[in-house]
mmCIF file with all atom_site columns, all heavy atoms in Angstrom:
data_model
loop_
_atom_site.group_PDB
_atom_site.id
_atom_site.type_symbol
_atom_site.label_atom_id
_atom_site.label_alt_id
_atom_site.label_comp_id
_atom_site.label_asym_id
_atom_site.label_entity_id
_atom_site.label_seq_id
_atom_site.pdbx_PDB_ins_code
_atom_site.Cartn_x
_atom_site.Cartn_y
_atom_site.Cartn_z
_atom_site.occupancy
_atom_site.B_iso_or_equiv
_atom_site.pdbx_formal_charge
_atom_site.auth_seq_id
_atom_site.auth_comp_id
_atom_site.auth_asym_id
_atom_site.auth_atom_id
_atom_site.pdbx_PDB_model_num
ATOM 1   N N   . ASP P 1 2  ? 0.566   2.198  -0.873  1.00 85.00 ? 9  ASP P N   1
ATOM 2   C CA  . ASP P 1 2  ? 1.308   3.449  -0.959  1.00 85.00 ? 9  ASP P CA  1
ATOM 3   C C   . ASP P 1 2  ? 0.702   4.463  0.006   1.00 85.00 ? 9  ASP P C   1
ATOM 4   O O   . ASP P 1 2  ? -0.354  5.039  -0.268  1.00 85.00 ? 9  ASP P O   1
ATOM 5   C CB  . ASP P 1 2  ? 1.274   3.972  -2.397  1.00 85.00 ? 9  ASP P CB  1
ATOM 6   C CG  . ASP P 1 2  ? 2.069   5.263  -2.565  1.00 85.00 ? 9  ASP P CG  1
ATOM 7   O OD1 . ASP P 1 2  ? 2.711   5.696  -1.586  1.00 85.00 ? 9  ASP P OD1 1
ATOM 8   O OD2 . ASP P 1 2  ? 2.032   5.832  -3.668  1.00 85.00 ? 9  ASP P OD2 1
ATOM 9   N N   . ILE P 1 3  ? 1.381   4.695  1.133   1.00 85.00 ? 10 ILE P N   1
ATOM 10  C CA  . ILE P 1 3  ? 0.835   5.607  2.140   1.00 85.00 ? 10 ILE P CA  1
ATOM 11  C C   . ILE P 1 3  ? 0.903   7.060  1.685   1.00 85.00 ? 10 ILE P C   1
ATOM 12  O O   . ILE P 1 3  ? 0.293   7.936  2.307   1.00 85.00 ? 10 ILE P O   1
ATOM 13  C CB  . ILE P 1 3  ? 1.538   5.441  3.497   1.00 85.00 ? 10 ILE P CB  1
ATOM 14  C CG1 . ILE P 1 3  ? 3.030   5.801  3.376   1.00 85.00 ? 10 ILE P CG1 1
ATOM 15  C CG2 . ILE P 1 3  ? 1.351   4.037  4.036   1.00 85.00 ? 10 ILE P CG2 1
ATOM 16  C CD1 . ILE P 1 3  ? 3.742   5.841  4.717   1.00 85.00 ? 10 ILE P CD1 1
ATOM 17  N N   . TYR P 1 4  ? 1.670   7.326  0.610   1.00 92.00 ? 11 TYR P N   1
ATOM 18  C CA  . TYR P 1 4  ? 1.794   8.688  0.115   1.00 92.00 ? 11 TYR P CA  1
ATOM 19  C C   . TYR P 1 4  ? 0.943   8.931  -1.131  1.00 92.00 ? 11 TYR P C   1
ATOM 20  O O   . TYR P 1 4  ? 1.072   9.957  -1.785  1.00 92.00 ? 11 TYR P O   1
ATOM 21  C CB  . TYR P 1 4  ? 3.251   9.013  -0.186  1.00 92.00 ? 11 TYR P CB  1
ATOM 22  C CG  . TYR P 1 4  ? 4.123   8.970  1.055   1.00 92.00 ? 11 TYR P CG  1
ATOM 23  C CD1 . TYR P 1 4  ? 5.070   7.973  1.223   1.00 92.00 ? 11 TYR P CD1 1
ATOM 24  C CD2 . TYR P 1 4  ? 3.972   9.916  2.063   1.00 92.00 ? 11 TYR P CD2 1
ATOM 25  C CE1 . TYR P 1 4  ? 5.859   7.925  2.365   1.00 92.00 ? 11 TYR P CE1 1
ATOM 26  C CE2 . TYR P 1 4  ? 4.748   9.878  3.205   1.00 92.00 ? 11 TYR P CE2 1
ATOM 27  C CZ  . TYR P 1 4  ? 5.695   8.874  3.354   1.00 92.00 ? 11 TYR P CZ  1
ATOM 28  O OH  . TYR P 1 4  ? 6.458   8.832  4.493   1.00 92.00 ? 11 TYR P OH  1
ATOM 29  N N   . LYS P 1 5  ? 0.089   7.989  -1.457  1.00 95.00 ? 12 LYS P N   1
ATOM 30  C CA  . LYS P 1 5  ? -0.785  8.163  -2.614  1.00 95.00 ? 12 LYS P CA  1
ATOM 31  C C   . LYS P 1 5  ? -1.701  9.362  -2.420  1.00 95.00 ? 12 LYS P C   1
ATOM 32  O O   . LYS P 1 5  ? -2.250  9.584  -1.336  1.00 95.00 ? 12 LYS P O   1
ATOM 33  C CB  . LYS P 1 5  ? -1.633  6.907  -2.818  1.00 95.00 ? 12 LYS P CB  1
ATOM 34  C CG  . LYS P 1 5  ? -2.630  7.034  -3.978  1.00 95.00 ? 12 LYS P CG  1
ATOM 35  C CD  . LYS P 1 5  ? -3.514  5.791  -4.098  1.00 95.00 ? 12 LYS P CD  1
ATOM 36  C CE  . LYS P 1 5  ? -4.526  5.959  -5.213  1.00 95.00 ? 12 LYS P CE  1
ATOM 37  N NZ  . LYS P 1 5  ? -5.435  4.788  -5.329  1.00 95.00 ? 12 LYS P NZ  1
ATOM 38  N N   . ILE P 1 6  ? -1.861  10.145 -3.463  1.00 97.00 ? 13 ILE P N   1
ATOM 39  C CA  . ILE P 1 6  ? -2.795  11.269 -3.448  1.00 97.00 ? 13 ILE P CA  1
ATOM 40  C C   . ILE P 1 6  ? -4.000  10.885 -4.311  1.00 97.00 ? 13 ILE P C   1
ATOM 41  O O   . ILE P 1 6  ? -3.871  10.666 -5.511  1.00 97.00 ? 13 ILE P O   1
ATOM 42  C CB  . ILE P 1 6  ? -2.139  12.559 -3.965  1.00 97.00 ? 13 ILE P CB  1
ATOM 43  C CG1 . ILE P 1 6  ? -0.945  12.924 -3.073  1.00 97.00 ? 13 ILE P CG1 1
ATOM 44  C CG2 . ILE P 1 6  ? -3.158  13.693 -3.990  1.00 97.00 ? 13 ILE P CG2 1
ATOM 45  C CD1 . ILE P 1 6  ? -0.206  14.168 -3.521  1.00 97.00 ? 13 ILE P CD1 1
ATOM 46  N N   . ASN P 1 7  ? -5.149  10.783 -3.691  1.00 97.00 ? 14 ASN P N   1
ATOM 47  C CA  . ASN P 1 7  ? -6.359  10.302 -4.361  1.00 97.00 ? 14 ASN P CA  1
ATOM 48  C C   . ASN P 1 7  ? -7.055  11.406 -5.149  1.00 97.00 ? 14 ASN P C   1
ATOM 49  O O   . ASN P 1 7  ? -6.937  12.597 -4.829  1.00 97.00 ? 14 ASN P O   1
ATOM 50  C CB  . ASN P 1 7  ? -7.341  9.751  -3.322  1.00 97.00 ? 14 ASN P CB  1
ATOM 51  C CG  . ASN P 1 7  ? -6.768  8.604  -2.530  1.00 97.00 ? 14 ASN P CG  1
ATOM 52  O OD1 . ASN P 1 7  ? -6.650  7.490  -3.018  1.00 97.00 ? 14 ASN P OD1 1
ATOM 53  N ND2 . ASN P 1 7  ? -6.390  8.861  -1.276  1.00 97.00 ? 14 ASN P ND2 1
ATOM 54  N N   . CYS P 1 8  ? -7.789  10.999 -6.142  1.00 97.00 ? 15 CYS P N   1
ATOM 55  C CA  . CYS P 1 8  ? -8.682  11.897 -6.864  1.00 97.00 ? 15 CYS P CA  1
ATOM 56  C C   . CYS P 1 8  ? -10.000 11.960 -6.098  1.00 97.00 ? 15 CYS P C   1
ATOM 57  O O   . CYS P 1 8  ? -10.587 10.922 -5.777  1.00 97.00 ? 15 CYS P O   1
ATOM 58  C CB  . CYS P 1 8  ? -8.911  11.387 -8.276  1.00 97.00 ? 15 CYS P CB  1
ATOM 59  S SG  . CYS P 1 8  ? -10.199 12.260 -9.184  1.00 97.00 ? 15 CYS P SG  1
ATOM 60  N N   . ILE P 1 9  ? -10.470 13.148 -5.799  1.00 98.00 ? 16 ILE P N   1
ATOM 61  C CA  . ILE P 1 9  ? -11.692 13.292 -5.005  1.00 98.00 ? 16 ILE P CA  1
ATOM 62  C C   . ILE P 1 9  ? -12.881 12.632 -5.709  1.00 98.00 ? 16 ILE P C   1
ATOM 63  O O   . ILE P 1 9  ? -13.769 12.061 -5.050  1.00 98.00 ? 16 ILE P O   1
ATOM 64  C CB  . ILE P 1 9  ? -11.989 14.778 -4.692  1.00 98.00 ? 16 ILE P CB  1
ATOM 65  C CG1 . ILE P 1 9  ? -13.136 14.903 -3.677  1.00 98.00 ? 16 ILE P CG1 1
ATOM 66  C CG2 . ILE P 1 9  ? -12.272 15.563 -5.952  1.00 98.00 ? 16 ILE P CG2 1
ATOM 67  C CD1 . ILE P 1 9  ? -12.858 14.302 -2.328  1.00 98.00 ? 16 ILE P CD1 1
ATOM 68  N N   . LYS P 1 10 ? -12.891 12.658 -7.030  1.00 97.00 ? 17 LYS P N   1
ATOM 69  C CA  . LYS P 1 10 ? -13.998 12.044 -7.758  1.00 97.00 ? 17 LYS P CA  1
ATOM 70  C C   . LYS P 1 10 ? -14.026 10.535 -7.561  1.00 97.00 ? 17 LYS P C   1
ATOM 71  O O   . LYS P 1 10 ? -15.093 9.939  -7.452  1.00 97.00 ? 17 LYS P O   1
ATOM 72  C CB  . LYS P 1 10 ? -13.906 12.383 -9.251  1.00 97.00 ? 17 LYS P CB  1
ATOM 73  C CG  . LYS P 1 10 ? -14.066 13.865 -9.558  1.00 97.00 ? 17 LYS P CG  1
ATOM 74  C CD  . LYS P 1 10 ? -14.027 14.152 -11.043 1.00 97.00 ? 17 LYS P CD  1
ATOM 75  C CE  . LYS P 1 10 ? -15.310 13.735 -11.713 1.00 97.00 ? 17 LYS P CE  1
ATOM 76  N NZ  . LYS P 1 10 ? -15.399 14.231 -13.111 1.00 97.00 ? 17 LYS P NZ  1
ATOM 77  N N   . GLU P 1 11 ? -12.853 9.922  -7.481  1.00 96.00 ? 18 GLU P N   1
ATOM 78  C CA  . GLU P 1 11 ? -12.800 8.485  -7.260  1.00 96.00 ? 18 GLU P CA  1
ATOM 79  C C   . GLU P 1 11 ? -13.300 8.125  -5.872  1.00 96.00 ? 18 GLU P C   1
ATOM 80  O O   . GLU P 1 11 ? -13.996 7.124  -5.683  1.00 96.00 ? 18 GLU P O   1
ATOM 81  C CB  . GLU P 1 11 ? -11.377 7.983  -7.462  1.00 96.00 ? 18 GLU P CB  1
ATOM 82  C CG  . GLU P 1 11 ? -10.894 8.053  -8.898  1.00 96.00 ? 18 GLU P CG  1
ATOM 83  C CD  . GLU P 1 11 ? -9.458  7.589  -9.050  1.00 96.00 ? 18 GLU P CD  1
ATOM 84  O OE1 . GLU P 1 11 ? -8.838  7.223  -8.026  1.00 96.00 ? 18 GLU P OE1 1
ATOM 85  O OE2 . GLU P 1 11 ? -8.941  7.598  -10.185 1.00 96.00 ? 18 GLU P OE2 1
ATOM 86  N N   . LEU P 1 12 ? -12.964 8.934  -4.876  1.00 96.00 ? 19 LEU P N   1
ATOM 87  C CA  . LEU P 1 12 ? -13.406 8.651  -3.512  1.00 96.00 ? 19 LEU P CA  1
ATOM 88  C C   . LEU P 1 12 ? -14.916 8.815  -3.365  1.00 96.00 ? 19 LEU P C   1
ATOM 89  O O   . LEU P 1 12 ? -15.564 8.053  -2.648  1.00 96.00 ? 19 LEU P O   1
ATOM 90  C CB  . LEU P 1 12 ? -12.686 9.578  -2.521  1.00 96.00 ? 19 LEU P CB  1
ATOM 91  C CG  . LEU P 1 12 ? -11.179 9.370  -2.360  1.00 96.00 ? 19 LEU P CG  1
ATOM 92  C CD1 . LEU P 1 12 ? -10.624 10.402 -1.366  1.00 96.00 ? 19 LEU P CD1 1
ATOM 93  C CD2 . LEU P 1 12 ? -10.867 7.960  -1.883  1.00 96.00 ? 19 LEU P CD2 1
ATOM 94  N N   . LEU P 1 13 ? -15.474 9.812  -4.030  1.00 97.00 ? 20 LEU P N   1
ATOM 95  C CA  . LEU P 1 13 ? -16.897 10.101 -3.870  1.00 97.00 ? 20 LEU P CA  1
ATOM 96  C C   . LEU P 1 13 ? -17.796 9.259  -4.767  1.00 97.00 ? 20 LEU P C   1
ATOM 97  O O   . LEU P 1 13 ? -18.928 8.951  -4.394  1.00 97.00 ? 20 LEU P O   1
ATOM 98  C CB  . LEU P 1 13 ? -17.159 11.586 -4.138  1.00 97.00 ? 20 LEU P CB  1
ATOM 99  C CG  . LEU P 1 13 ? -16.589 12.576 -3.122  1.00 97.00 ? 20 LEU P CG  1
ATOM 100 C CD1 . LEU P 1 13 ? -16.827 14.003 -3.584  1.00 97.00 ? 20 LEU P CD1 1
ATOM 101 C CD2 . LEU P 1 13 ? -17.178 12.348 -1.735  1.00 97.00 ? 20 LEU P CD2 1
#
Side-chain angles (χ1 to χ4, degrees):
D9 182 5
I10 63 172
Y11 297 111
K12 177 183 178 182
I13 300 179
N14 300 285
C15 171
I16 189 63
K17 296 182 75 169
E18 292 178 359
L19 293 178
L20 292 175

